[in-house]
Coordinates of all heavy atoms in Angstrom, one line a residue:
Y284 N -8.3 11.6 -12.6 CA -9.2 10.6 -12.4 C -10.6 11.0 -12.9 O -10.8 12.2 -13.2 CB -9.4 10.4 -10.8 CG -8.2 9.8 -10.2 CD1 -7.3 10.5 -9.3 CD2 -7.9 8.4 -10.4 CE1 -6.2 9.9 -8.7 CE2 -6.7 7.8 -9.8 CZ -5.9 8.6 -8.9 OH -4.8 8.1 -8.3
G285 N -11.5 10.1 -12.9 CA -12.9 10.4 -13.3 C -13.8 10.6 -12.1 O -13.3 10.8 -11.0
V286 N -15.0 10.7 -12.3 CA -15.9 10.9 -11.2 C -15.9 9.5 -10.4 O -15.5 8.5 -10.9 CB -17.4 11.1 -11.7 CG1 -17.4 12.5 -12.4 CG2 -17.9 10.0 -12.7
R287 N -16.3 9.8 -9.1 CA -16.2 8.6 -8.2 C -17.2 7.6 -8.4 O -18.4 7.9 -8.9 CB -16.4 9.2 -6.7 CG -15.2 10.1 -6.3 CD -15.4 10.6 -4.9 NE -16.6 11.5 -4.8 CZ -17.0 12.1 -3.7 NH1 -16.4 11.9 -2.7 NH2 -18.1 12.7 -3.8
V288 N -17.0 6.3 -8.2 CA -17.8 5.2 -8.3 C -17.8 4.5 -7.0 O -16.9 4.5 -6.2 CB -17.4 4.2 -9.5 CG1 -17.4 4.9 -10.8 CG2 -16.0 3.7 -9.3
P289 N -18.9 3.8 -6.7 CA -19.1 3.0 -5.4 C -18.2 1.7 -5.5 O -18.0 1.2 -6.5 CB -20.6 2.6 -5.2 CG -21.0 2.8 -6.5 CD -20.2 3.8 -7.4
A290 N -17.8 1.3 -4.3 CA -17.1 0.0 -4.2 C -17.5 -0.6 -2.8 O -17.5 0.1 -1.8 CB -15.7 0.2 -4.3
V291 N -17.9 -1.8 -2.9 CA -18.1 -2.6 -1.7 C -17.1 -3.8 -1.6 O -17.0 -4.6 -2.6 CB -19.5 -3.2 -1.7 CG1 -19.8 -4.0 -0.5 CG2 -20.6 -2.1 -1.8
V292 N -16.5 -3.9 -0.5 CA -15.5 -5.0 -0.3 C -16.0 -5.9 0.8 O -16.3 -5.5 1.9 CB -14.1 -4.4 0.1 CG1 -13.0 -5.5 0.2 CG2 -13.6 -3.4 -0.9
V293 N -16.1 -7.2 0.4 CA -16.8 -8.2 1.4 C -15.8 -9.3 1.7 O -15.2 -9.9 0.8 CB -18.0 -8.8 0.8 CG1 -18.8 -9.6 1.8 CG2 -18.9 -7.7 0.2
S294 N -15.6 -9.6 3.1 CA -14.7 -10.7 3.4 C -15.0 -11.0 4.9 O -15.4 -10.1 5.7 CB -13.3 -10.2 3.2 OG -12.4 -11.2 3.9
P295 N -14.9 -12.3 5.4 CA -15.0 -12.6 6.7 C -13.9 -12.0 7.6 O -13.8 -12.1 8.8 CB -14.9 -14.1 6.7 CG -14.2 -14.5 5.5 CD -14.5 -13.5 4.5
F296 N -12.8 -11.4 6.9 CA -11.7 -10.8 7.7 C -11.9 -9.2 7.9 O -11.0 -8.5 8.2 CB -10.4 -11.0 6.9 CG -9.9 -12.4 7.0 CD1 -10.2 -13.4 6.1 CD2 -9.2 -12.8 8.1 CE1 -9.7 -14.7 6.3 CE2 -8.6 -14.1 8.3 CZ -9.0 -15.1 7.3
I297 N -13.1 -8.7 7.5 CA -13.5 -7.4 7.7 C -14.5 -7.2 8.8 O -15.5 -7.9 8.7 CB -14.0 -6.8 6.3 CG1 -13.0 -6.9 5.3 CG2 -14.4 -5.3 6.5 CD1 -13.4 -6.5 3.9
S298 N -14.4 -6.3 9.6 CA -15.3 -5.9 10.6 C -16.6 -5.5 10.0 O -16.6 -4.6 9.2 CB -14.8 -5.0 11.6 OG -13.7 -5.4 12.3
P299 N -17.7 -6.0 10.3 CA -19.0 -5.6 9.8 C -19.3 -4.2 9.7 O -19.0 -3.5 10.8 CB -20.1 -6.4 10.5 CG -19.4 -7.6 11.0 CD -18.0 -7.1 11.3
G300 N -19.7 -3.6 8.7 CA -20.0 -2.1 8.7 C -18.9 -1.1 8.5 O -19.1 0.0 8.8
T301 N -17.7 -1.7 8.2 CA -16.6 -0.8 8.1 C -16.6 0.1 6.9 O -17.0 -0.3 5.8 CB -15.3 -1.7 7.9 OG1 -15.1 -2.5 9.1 CG2 -14.1 -0.9 7.6
V302 N -16.4 1.3 7.1 CA -16.2 2.3 6.0 C -14.7 2.7 6.1 O -14.1 3.2 6.9 CB -17.1 3.5 6.3 CG1 -16.9 4.5 5.2 CG2 -18.5 3.0 6.4
F303 N -14.1 2.7 4.9 CA -12.6 3.0 4.8 C -12.3 3.9 3.7 O -13.0 4.0 2.6 CB -11.8 1.7 4.7 CG -11.9 1.0 3.4 CD1 -11.0 0.9 2.4 CD2 -13.1 0.1 3.2 CE1 -11.2 0.3 1.2 CE2 -13.2 -0.5 2.0 CZ -12.2 -0.5 1.0
R304 N -11.3 4.8 3.9 CA -10.8 5.7 3.0 C -9.3 5.6 3.0 O -8.7 5.3 4.0 CB -11.3 7.1 3.3 CG -12.9 7.2 3.2 CD -13.2 8.7 3.6 NE -14.7 8.9 3.5 CZ -15.6 8.5 4.4 NH1 -15.2 8.0 5.6 NH2 -16.9 8.7 4.2
S305 N -8.8 6.1 1.9 CA -7.2 6.2 1.8 C -6.8 7.6 2.4 O -7.4 8.6 2.2 CB -6.8 6.1 0.5 OG -5.4 6.3 0.3
S306 N -5.8 7.5 3.2 CA -5.3 8.7 3.8 C -4.2 9.5 2.8 O -3.9 10.7 3.1 CB -4.6 8.5 5.1 OG -3.4 7.6 4.9
G307 N -3.9 8.9 1.8 CA -3.0 9.5 0.8 C -3.6 9.5 -0.6 O -4.6 10.1 -0.9
Q308 N -2.9 8.6 -1.5 CA -3.4 8.5 -2.8 C -4.8 7.8 -2.8 O -5.0 7.0 -2.1 CB -2.5 7.5 -3.5 CG -2.6 7.5 -5.1 CD -1.9 8.7 -5.7 OE1 -1.2 9.5 -5.1 NE2 -2.1 8.9 -7.0
P309 N -5.7 8.4 -3.5 CA -7.1 7.8 -3.5 C -7.1 6.5 -4.1 O -6.4 6.1 -5.0 CB -7.9 8.9 -4.4 CG -6.9 9.5 -5.3 CD -5.6 9.5 -4.4
F310 N -8.2 5.7 -3.6 CA -8.4 4.5 -4.3 C -9.0 4.7 -5.6 O -9.7 5.6 -5.9 CB -9.5 3.7 -3.5 CG -9.0 3.2 -2.1 CD1 -9.4 3.7 -1.0 CD2 -8.2 2.1 -2.0 CE1 -8.9 3.2 0.3 CE2 -7.7 1.6 -0.9 CZ -8.1 2.2 0.4
D311 N -8.5 3.8 -6.6 CA -9.1 3.8 -7.9 C -9.1 2.4 -8.4 O -8.8 1.4 -7.7 CB -8.3 4.7 -8.8 CG -6.9 4.1 -9.3 OD1 -6.0 4.0 -8.4 OD2 -6.8 3.7 -10.4
H312 N -9.6 2.0 -9.6 CA -9.7 0.8 -10.1 C -8.5 0.0 -10.1 O -8.5 -1.3 -9.9 CB -10.3 0.7 -11.5 CG -11.8 1.3 -11.5 ND1 -12.1 2.5 -11.8 CD2 -12.9 0.6 -11.4 CE1 -13.4 2.6 -11.7 NE2 -13.9 1.4 -11.6
T313 N -7.2 0.6 -10.2 CA -6.0 -0.1 -10.1 C -5.7 -0.6 -8.7 O -4.7 -1.3 -8.5 CB -4.9 0.7 -10.8 OG1 -4.7 1.9 -10.0 CG2 -5.2 1.1 -12.3
S314 N -6.5 -0.1 -7.7 CA -6.3 -0.7 -6.4 C -6.5 -2.2 -6.4 O -6.0 -2.9 -5.5 CB -7.1 0.1 -5.4 OG -6.7 1.5 -5.3
I315 N -7.5 -2.6 -7.2 CA -7.7 -4.0 -7.2 C -6.5 -4.8 -7.8 O -6.1 -5.8 -7.3 CB -9.0 -4.3 -8.2 CG1 -10.2 -3.6 -7.6 CG2 -9.1 -5.8 -8.3 CD1 -11.4 -3.7 -8.5
I316 N -5.9 -4.2 -8.8 CA -4.7 -4.8 -9.4 C -3.6 -4.8 -8.3 O -2.9 -5.8 -8.1 CB -4.2 -4.0 -10.6 CG1 -5.2 -4.1 -11.7 CG2 -2.8 -4.5 -11.1 CD1 -4.9 -3.2 -12.9

């Protein structure tokens, strides 16, 4: 992987102020796919 980049995910189905991380494989751009 490369260096980390920020990502903000916005939806009315997300509790405000949520910070989330992956417990296994790290999130990367293909997580969007």
